[in-house]
Amino acid sequence: MREKILIIEDEKELISGLKLNLDFEGYTVISALDGEEGLKRALNEAPDLILLDIMLPKKDGLDVCRELRQRNVTTPIIMLTAKGDEVDKVVGLEIGADDYVTKPFGIKELLARIKAQLRRDNREERRAPSVFRFDDVEIDFIHFKIRRKGRELDLTSMEVAILKHFVAHRGEVVTREDLLDRIWGHEKYPSTRTIDNHILKLRKKIEEDPDASKVIFSVYGEGYRFMGGV
Ligand code: CA
């Protein structure tokens, strides 16, 4: 599937140059010439990445970025900043932009940044298969089931989200903060205790002996390490 990039930029020539290059690289490109239109397209057309100019008519890039993040849109945003916009760069990153490039930029540099952001954003989905098997366990991410030794148990959507994250990062330490960030989002943090409760229930479903975990290890003071299939 072609990934979709939204360019919000009021310099028409820059847009057409970018369109040409990004299209050649295999991306679908949509664009907006002002901040209001850009915000609308960002919300309605689900781009995979946004290139966002700062100085824009109607609504500036910083406001667009802020509003998207306030609405829990997590699409990667690369700010296009002009030389001397040092302050804007810092503010941009503070309000949730993921990266920035300074104009005039080379297309190669921009492409590298775009690829890095898309990779970061898609890593989990790409690495998480629809069914994940290890030992005698089968996790079915499509039907929200877990099967072990001929026994089938239901998974909650929260458990599925946690397991997807674990599988994508198997063998690595996953902190409680990672899980909070990834699954609950930045705005509505539950307590870390909530996470521990979910893990407790997951262990009962996934482990041979929940009191002697062999799949979801606790890493003292950090979080967890998922060892299924490692
Ligand atoms: Ca501009």
Side-chain angles (χ1 to χ4, degrees):
M1 199 186 73
R2 284 166 72 102
E3 283 161 311
K4 196 196 288 176
I5 296 179
L6 168 62
I7 308 171
I8 309 177
E9 165 64 71
D10 57 334
E11 289 169 55
K12 286 185 183 161
E13 279 175 29
L14 183 53
I15 292 190
S16 32
L18 286 174
K19 258 189 179 156
L20 213 64
N21 279 287
L22 293 172
D23 185 67
F24 181 77
E25 292 291 321
Y27 298 109
T28 297
V29 179
I30 55 176
S31 61
L33 289 165
D34 66 67
E36 278 181 10
E37 172 74 10
L39 182 64
K40 217 183 284 172
R41 299 201 80 170
L43 291 170
N44 296 334
E45 298 178 47
D48 297 293
L49 183 138
I50 300 167
L51 297 177
L52 180 59
D53 185 28
I54 291 184
M55 295 294 281
L56 285 168
K58 294 191 182 169
K59 190 185 281 288
D60 76 39
L62 294 174
D63 282 339
V64 172
C65 181
R66 196 178 287 121
E67 284 187 39
L68 286 172
R69 294 307 186 231
Q70 276 166 359
R71 292 166 188 237
N72 291 322
V73 174
T74 58
T75 312
I77 295 175
I78 300 177
M79 310 280 305
L80 307 176
T81 66
K83 256 205 182 113
D85 284 347
E86 297 301 323
V87 177
D88 289 346
K89 260 182 230 170
V90 174
V91 174
L93 294 175
E94 272 173 7
I95 61 177
D98 298 279
D99 201 358
Y100 59 85
V101 289
T102 307
K103 293 180 190 174
F105 48 81
I107 189 70
K108 273 193 188 160
E109 186 197 353
L110 181 65
L111 282 172
R113 303 287 181 98
I114 288 174
K115 278 184 189 146
Q117 288 302 325
L118 288 173
R119 203 163 44 231
R120 204 183 63 119
D121 196 47
N122 289 344
R123 192 160 71 126
E124 306 204 346
E125 240 172 301
R126 286 208 193 117
R127 282 166 62 185
S130 52
V131 174
F132 183 73
R133 295 183 186 88
F134 64 94
D135 304 333
D136 55 358
V137 178
E138 185 176 286
I139 304 168
D140 182 339
F141 289 117
I142 307 274
H143 302 102
F144 288 26
K145 303 273 185 202
I146 189 160
R147 297 175 198 103
R148 195 162 62 82
K149 292 188 168 162
R151 210 165 52 117
E152 184 177 89
L153 296 168
D154 290 325
L155 292 168
T156 64
S157 54
M158 205 59 95
E159 288 167 347
V160 165
I162 293 172
L163 283 171
K164 271 189 177 166
H165 191 79
F166 276 161
V167 168
H169 296 273
R170 54 189 181 274
E172 300 169 21
V173 174
V174 171
T175 64
R176 291 182 179 81
E177 285 70 31
D178 289 339
L179 289 173
L180 284 169
D181 255 7
R182 189 71 209 175
I183 293 154
W184 280 268
H186 299 274
E187 307 269 314
K188 25 186 193 295
Y189 267 19
S191 70
T192 48
R193 182 91 195 115
T194 313
I195 297 210
D196 293 338
N197 283 335
H198 282 289
I199 299 292
L200 212 66
K201 285 183 191 150
L202 256 182
R203 276 194 178 128
K204 284 185 185 149
K205 294 181 182 180
I206 210 168
E207 305 270 3
E208 178 93 50
D209 175 2
D211 296 324
S213 303
K214 289 204 169 101
V215 182
I216 305 172
F217 281 97
S218 290
V219 181
Y220 184 75
E222 296 283 341
Y224 302 99
R225 191 197 298 272
F226 182 82
M227 293 303 283
V230 175

